[in-house]
Amino acid sequence: MDFTPTEEQAAARDLAARIFGDLSTHERLTAAGTGSDAELWKALCEAGLPAAVEDIGLLGLVLLLEEQGRTTAQVPFAASCVYGLLAVSAHGSAEQRERLLPAIGDGTVVVTGALPEAAVWVGGSGELSGAVPVVPWLRDATHVLVADDEHGLWLVRTVDARCEPVELTAPWSAGRLTLDGTPGERLGERVGGSGAEVAGQEAYDDVLATARTAFAGLQAGVCAGSVARAVDHTNTREQFGRPLATKQGVQLRAADAYMDTEAIRVTAYEAAWRRDEGLDYATHALTAAWWASEAGQRVVHAGQHLHGGMGADLDHPVHRHFLWGRQLDAYLGCGSEVLQELGALIVHGEGDA
């Protein structure tokens, strides 16, 4: 395996780093509050970064999400690329790909996902009913990808559903989704008989594994940003005439956080690379999710702790990394839940080689 970025992936990553670095500043994040930054999202779309994901693959997306995580940029980049562009590209019909992919790429269509919730059922005429308590970036979305009780995937226009604002730990413009006889569009070609169930399950499993991998990459960036802030603080903050970074306890805590961050990054890279190569990656995606959840919360706690009293300031930039890290921990399922699912997959012999 080779995680070296291609020329296209490296160029996209560098462009993303410049845009996020220039526009996702402390002042702009403060002004955005708990909402998304519309100007930043427009800049990303005009630069062609969401559209580029179709060409640079999941590994390329992970590289871009690392850059978003470093700055905790408040845009629906991960959600729209995973639940929209990659899901439609891999599992949509030819007509859906032709109609939706250009619009998702230029940002006029924003997709989020209500996975892995399966609290939705399909009526006799294809209408959808049910409720999902929390859907990240629902307030920004034009469409939401939902799974029915048999794991079939449906695209629902948010204007046809009831969407109520919900505040999360991190400012993810979330909402509660309620469907009551709401029209939906089945993702992919219609297949008769039991074939529909098989196709639906395979698409569901792939989208869920893709999401876990992508959000693990986002967590790698969040953690890298937290560690970078801690390093900068402990090198400039002095105690008894010496920088805090010269103290062995500080060095050990920072080293542990760095190693945890690298573990999140490499497992996300491996899962993404395997998907791009057409290899099985279900267990690798769960491994990445476990590291992102379990190690991620350790890293952001360490980052806040290494800032001392400043880390307790809710307005300090490092606190955003703490909030994002904890939110991603919960969103990925929390370490113990992910580990249980991974163990069951291995025991039943359904994991990849």
Side-chain angles (χ1 to χ4, degrees), residues 75-248:
V75 286
F77 194 65
S80 201
C81 287
V82 168
Y83 299 119
L85 193 139
L86 289 178
V88 173
S89 178
H91 305 291
S93 66
E95 187 277 331
Q96 287 172 332
R97 292 194 298 272
E98 182 179 357
R99 170 167 48 89
L100 293 171
L101 289 179
I104 297 172
D106 66 21
T108 54
V109 167
V110 177
V111 185
T112 189
L115 276 64
E117 301 287 349
V120 175
W121 60 93
V122 186
S125 302
E127 70 280 0
L128 303 171
S129 297
V132 182
V134 176
V135 181
W137 291 287
L138 183 63
R139 283 179 269 164
D140 297 331
T142 60
H143 294 69
V144 56
L145 186 69
V146 302
D148 61 33
D149 53 357
E150 295 182 351
H151 287 173
L153 296 177
W154 300 78
L155 278 169
V156 175
R157 298 194 310 162
T158 52
V159 294
D160 295 329
R162 187 162 78 248
C163 305
E164 303 164 279
V166 172
E167 297 301 333
L168 302 182
T169 300
W172 284 5
S173 297
R176 173 184 172 85
L177 177 72
T178 303
L179 307 175
D180 186 10
T182 305
E185 177 182 359
R186 182 68 182 253
L187 186 66
E189 304 283 358
R190 294 192 176 277
V191 182
S194 61
E197 298 179 8
V198 174
Q201 184 66 50
E202 289 178 351
Y204 174 86
D205 290 343
D206 177 60
V207 172
L208 182 56
T210 299
R212 283 168 165 160
T213 304
F215 282 97
L218 183 61
Q219 181 76 302
V222 169
C223 291
S226 178
V227 171
R229 291 189 183 280
V231 168
D232 180 69
H233 174 76
T234 55
N235 273 289
T236 56
R237 183 78 170 180
E238 292 189 358
Q239 187 179 65
F240 305 117
R242 297 172 58 197
L244 290 172
T246 62
K247 300 184 181 299
Q248 188 178 45

Side-chain angles (χ1 to χ4, degrees), residues 303-328:
Q304 194 159 7
H305 183 205
L306 288 171
H307 277 76
M310 290 184 180
D313 183 355
L314 301 185
D315 295 323
H316 195 284
V318 78
H319 188 66
R320 292 194 186 90
H321 293 271
F322 175 78
L323 296 179
W324 276 68
R326 293 313 308 255
Q327 187 66 59
L328 282 163

